[in-house]
């Protein structure tokens, strides 16, 4: 489970816009909140992976947890894009 999230996190951290100018950066507090949200969403996805493995493929619970994983990873990817665009310090 963790290896799946690690792969996803690495992928998410490599995407996003890096070309936003410095005057549009978020405050450290806002960036910390975004980061915590991303970590929380990936934790939820990991929990759903655990539930997914306990249910037979095609069962209603399997489908439900699959959809939850997809949603949380999609939202985490969107937040990661925002984080990279407005929080990552460029040199």
């Amino acid at each position: 489970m963790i290896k799946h999230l690690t792969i996803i996190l690495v992928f998410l951290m490599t995407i996003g816009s890096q070309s936003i100018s410095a005057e549009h950066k978020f405050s450290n507090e806002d960036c910390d909140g975004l980061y915590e949200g991303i970590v929380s969403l990936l934790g939820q996805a990991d929990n759903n992976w655990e539930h997914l493995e306990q249910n037979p493929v095609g069962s209603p619970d399997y489908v439900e947890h699959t959809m939850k994983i997809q949603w949380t990873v999609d939202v985490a990817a969107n937040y990661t894009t925002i984080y990279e665009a407005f929080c990552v310090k460029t040199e």
Side-chain angles (χ1 to χ4, degrees):
M1 280 142 283
I2 296 298
K3 64 181 175 186
H4 295 287
L5 289 179
T6 303
I7 293 169
I8 291 168
L9 183 59
V10 169
F11 173 74
L12 294 177
M13 297 305 270
T14 61
I15 62 174
S17 173
Q18 300 277 331
S19 62
I20 305 299
S21 64
E23 69 259 13
H24 297 294
K25 297 294 182 187
F26 288 173
S27 70
N28 287 338
E29 184 177 298
D30 290 337
C31 291
D32 290 345
L34 274 172
Y35 179 80
E36 289 171 11
I38 294 165
V39 170
S40 175
L41 286 164
L42 292 175
Q44 290 176 26
D46 190 38
N47 289 337
N48 281 296
W49 271 108
E50 291 175 12
H51 291 290
L52 188 70
E53 292 174 345
Q54 298 170 3
N55 294 293
V57 175
S59 71
D61 284 339
Y62 186 91
V63 172
E64 177 184 348
H65 289 290
T66 301
M67 292 174 64
K68 287 180 180 180
I69 293 167
Q70 180 181 1
W71 183 84
T72 55
V73 170
D74 285 347
V75 174
N78 291 337
Y79 282 176
T80 299
T81 301
I82 294 167
Y83 183 87
E84 287 187 342
F86 296 102
C87 297
V88 173
K89 307 290 188 254
T90 56
E91 296 178 26

